[in-house]
Amino acid sequence: MMRLRSPLWIVVLLWLSLFDVAEAGLKIYFIRHAEAGHNVVKEWKGKPKDQWPAYVGNPDMFSPKGEKQVAKATDKLKQYHFDFIAVSPIWRTRHTVLPYLGETGVKAELWPELAEFDRFSTNLTSRLTLPPPNADLFTGGDVIAIPDQEKASFVLRKDGRRLFKPGTEPLQLAADLNAVAEKTAELIKTRFGGSDKSILLVGHGNSGRLLLHALLKNSDAWKTQLANTGIWMAEEQSDGSFKLRMLNDAPVKP
C-alpha cells in the first residue's frame, strides 16, 4: 500500500490553523536566506582553492543547494498570506524572496535592521551589563541602493536608507546589536502591534535569532540555529508579549 507523505509546511499550516480560531494576534514570520557560497566554505577547505566552484566563499551567489532552496521557499511562501513584507538589503536575502515577489506581484520594504553581522556572542548579549549603543549606529553605515532591475519588487523605508554600523569592540558590538534588534521589534510593534495581520521578515541567521531574543525575552529558543530558508513564527498575545509557534518550519507546542 502506498503511503502519502505531505510536505512539512502543509502539516505546519494545518497545525497553525488550530490557533487561528482562538488567536487573532499579530503573526511575525521570519525566513532565513537560502544557502550561499559563504555558508559552504568549511565543506571545501580540504580541497585546493583552484578546484573550488565559483560560488564557494561568495555571499552573493547561491550554492546549487541554495538554488533549490529558493524554488522550494517560493512555493512554501505562496501557501501563506502576508499583509506586509520587510527584507534585509543584502543580496542573498533579496534574491531568496525575489522570485516569490515576482510571481505574486507583491512589493517588499528593505529594512537595514535585518542585515547580517558576522561576530556575535550570546554570552555577552545575555549575561553582561552593556554600554549604550553608538550614537551613529543607524546613521553611519553605507547608503542602500536598489538595483534598477529590482525596483519593481523593493522600496526603501524613508528612515532606513543606510545600513547600521556596529562597533568592533566585543561589549560595544553586543550593545549595538541588541539595539538593532530592539529597534526592529519596536518598528514591528509600532506599525502592526495589536492587529491581526501577518507579516514576513526575510533576514539572516544571527539577525533572526537576535530578533527572537528581543521578542521572547526569557525564552532560550532564540539560541537555536536557524536553517537556511527555515521559518520561525511568533504570535502576539493579548498582553503584548509574544509566543513562539513555529521554529525551523516545525510547530512549537504551546
Side-chain angles (χ1 to χ4, degrees):
M1 180 177 179
M2 182 180 295
R3 179 177 296 177
L4 298 179
R5 295 185 178 182
S6 299
L8 179 59
W9 55 262
I10 295 179
V11 176
V12 170
L13 286 175
L14 291 173
W15 183 88
L16 289 175
S17 69
L18 298 177
F19 290 96
D20 289 342
V21 175
E23 303 282 354
L26 168 66
K27 294 177 177 62
I28 304 170
Y29 292 83
F30 184 102
I31 185 170
R32 186 187 176 195
H33 63 80
E35 183 181 86
H38 69 300
N39 296 131
V40 300
V41 171
K42 288 183 180 179
E43 300 172 19
W44 287 86
K45 278 195 171 179
K47 296 183 179 181
K49 283 194 174 183
D50 60 4
Q51 296 180 17
W52 289 12
Y55 65 84
V56 177
N58 188 343
D60 293 340
M61 287 183 69
F62 290 126
S63 68
K65 180 179 178 181
E67 294 283 1
K68 294 177 181 177
Q69 289 173 339
V70 171
K72 290 181 179 179
T74 300
D75 290 337
K76 180 167 60 175
L77 292 175
K78 285 193 291 188
Q79 309 308 311
Y80 296 90
H81 166 75
F82 301 113
D83 297 290
F84 174 80
I85 301 174
V87 182
S88 157
I90 307 304
W91 183 94
R92 56 191 178 274
T93 45
R94 300 196 324 267
H95 284 254
T96 293
V97 75
L98 197 57
Y100 166 78
L101 298 177
E103 290 188 26
T104 59
V106 176
K107 207 161 192 175
E109 198 168 79
L110 295 182
W111 280 20
E113 296 82 9
L114 296 175
E116 179 66 298
F117 42 86
D118 295 328
R119 303 172 306 279
F120 178 59
S121 169
T122 57
N123 290 331
L124 290 178
T125 300
S126 58
R127 297 182 184 179
L128 300 181
T129 300
L130 301 177
N134 279 329
D136 65 345
L137 174 62
F138 297 107
T139 59
D142 293 336
V143 175
I144 300 168
I146 303 174
D148 289 342
Q149 63 271 27
E150 298 178 24
K151 288 182 178 178
S153 297
F154 299 110
V155 295
L156 292 175
R157 201 180 74 225
K158 289 183 179 180
D159 61 342
R161 297 179 180 272
R162 287 181 177 272
L163 293 172
F164 62 83
K165 185 181 180 181
T168 56
E169 188 275 326
L171 281 179
Q172 189 61 59
L173 171 66
D176 290 344
L177 297 182
N178 269 353
V180 170
E182 291 292 344
K183 181 180 177 183
T184 309
E186 190 58 34
L187 279 168
I188 293 169
K189 293 174 184 177
T190 299
R191 291 178 66 169
F192 306 105
S195 72
D196 61 354
K197 294 185 181 300
S198 294
I199 68 172
L200 173 66
L201 309 177
V202 186
H204 308 259
N206 282 336
S207 62
R209 291 169 57 222
L210 203 53
L211 177 57
L212 269 183
H213 180 48
L215 291 171
L216 301 181
K217 303 302 182 185
N218 295 323
S219 170
D220 284 334
W222 69 286
K223 296 179 182 179
T224 301
Q225 181 67 31
L226 299 181
N228 290 109
T229 64
I231 294 177
W232 61 252
M233 189 273 275
E235 185 175 53
E236 188 178 24
Q237 306 302 293
S238 58
D239 62 358
S241 65
F242 284 84
K243 285 187 177 181
L244 189 64
R245 299 299 196 192
M246 178 167 58
L247 183 61
N248 282 332
D249 295 319
V252 175
K253 294 182 179 180

